[in-house]
Amino acid sequence: MVKTFPIIETKRLILRKATRVDANHMFTYLSDKDVMKHMGLEPFQTINDVFDEIDWYQSIYDEGSGIRWGITLKDSDRVIGSCGFLNMKPKHHRAEVGFELSKDYWGSGIASEALEAVVRYGYQHFQLERIEALIEPENMPSQKLVERQGFIREGLLRHYEFTCGKFEDLYMYSLLKDDVMNKG
């Protein structure tokens, strides 16, 4: 059985499956050192790096461990970022959320709008109870973004990941279903 990839629509955005057709647009932000500096990845060097990323999105979807939506503006079908879940643990009703956005759209509320829609989708369609966000201490914009959405910083995970040749500390944030669904 082939499951249909869900599409999420918000006031300004369409969140949809990213495909290889989107690779050139995605390369624009995935090759940007400012976008990538807090993602635990080096800036992408080739379009094949983007193909690998799109293939990873498909693999986590197929295996049920995650889902990643391409972020597009309603008046353009150009993918300008992504947002979604990884490390989904259905038994424990939890998942980690991640996102990135082209620098051209920083400060416009797009990441916030996409994150809010994805979080709500997770609670409504994946029966999640807890959504986590792991954020580098230096990444103040992402910390502020998740805090505005109601995420609570639970603590510092010291040397939690080894990325780009070094160990990284990460803040653990969480948002519980009741925190969001009771807001209306």
Side-chain angles (χ1 to χ4, degrees):
M1 179 183 102
V2 175
K3 52 186 175 176
T4 304
F5 193 93
I7 295 172
I8 302 173
E9 188 172 338
T10 69
K11 184 177 176 186
R12 299 182 291 167
L13 307 175
I14 304 267
L15 281 66
R16 63 163 177 82
K17 181 177 183 174
T19 68
R20 287 179 172 238
V21 173
D22 301 307
N24 286 326
H25 291 142
M26 294 171 68
F27 183 74
T28 302
Y29 63 84
L30 292 172
S31 63
D32 185 322
K33 66 179 175 37
D34 292 331
V35 172
M36 300 301 285
K37 75 177 165 190
H38 296 299
M39 290 183 58
L41 298 170
E42 296 290 345
F44 288 15
Q45 300 297 312
T46 69
I47 205 73
N48 285 329
D49 294 336
V50 182
F51 290 156
D52 290 345
E53 184 78 356
I54 292 167
D55 290 347
W56 177 71
Y57 294 172
Q58 186 63 48
S59 73
I60 64 171
Y61 181 68
D62 289 344
E63 68 191 24
S65 67
I67 183 170
R68 195 80 170 198
W69 285 271
I71 301 170
T72 67
L73 297 173
K74 280 189 174 177
D75 63 1
S76 165
D77 195 39
R78 180 179 176 191
V79 174
I80 58 171
S82 78
C83 185
F85 299 114
L86 61 153
N87 298 323
M88 291 178 71
K89 305 290 184 202
K91 176 182 175 182
H92 300 291
H93 301 272
R94 76 170 181 254
E96 182 183 332
V97 70
F99 49 86
E100 82 279 331
L101 187 65
S102 173
K103 194 165 46 180
D104 294 343
Y105 300 93
W106 288 1
S108 64
I110 289 172
S112 182
E113 190 172 327
L115 179 61
E116 181 178 6
V118 165
V119 163
R120 283 193 168 274
Y121 191 92
Y123 291 131
Q124 293 169 343
H125 298 278
F126 295 131
Q127 290 72 50
L128 296 175
E129 174 62 23
R130 174 187 168 91
I131 296 175
E132 301 169 343
L134 299 173
I135 302 173
E136 292 180 5
E138 301 80 27
N139 189 349
M140 292 305 297
S142 289
Q143 290 176 51
K144 289 177 181 173
L145 171 62
V146 298
E147 288 169 0
R148 280 193 306 272
Q149 297 276 337
F151 282 74
I152 304 296
R153 186 190 305 171
E154 296 182 329
L156 179 69
L157 303 171
R158 301 180 317 141
H159 286 204
Y160 191 73
E161 288 184 341
F162 185 79
T163 58
C164 301
K166 64 186 187 307
F167 288 100
E168 296 283 353
D169 295 343
L170 295 172
Y171 282 131
M172 169 64 81
Y173 283 86
S174 73
L175 185 67
L176 302 182
K177 183 176 185 176
D178 287 348
D179 298 338
V180 172
M181 302 311 283
N182 292 337
K183 280 195 329 192

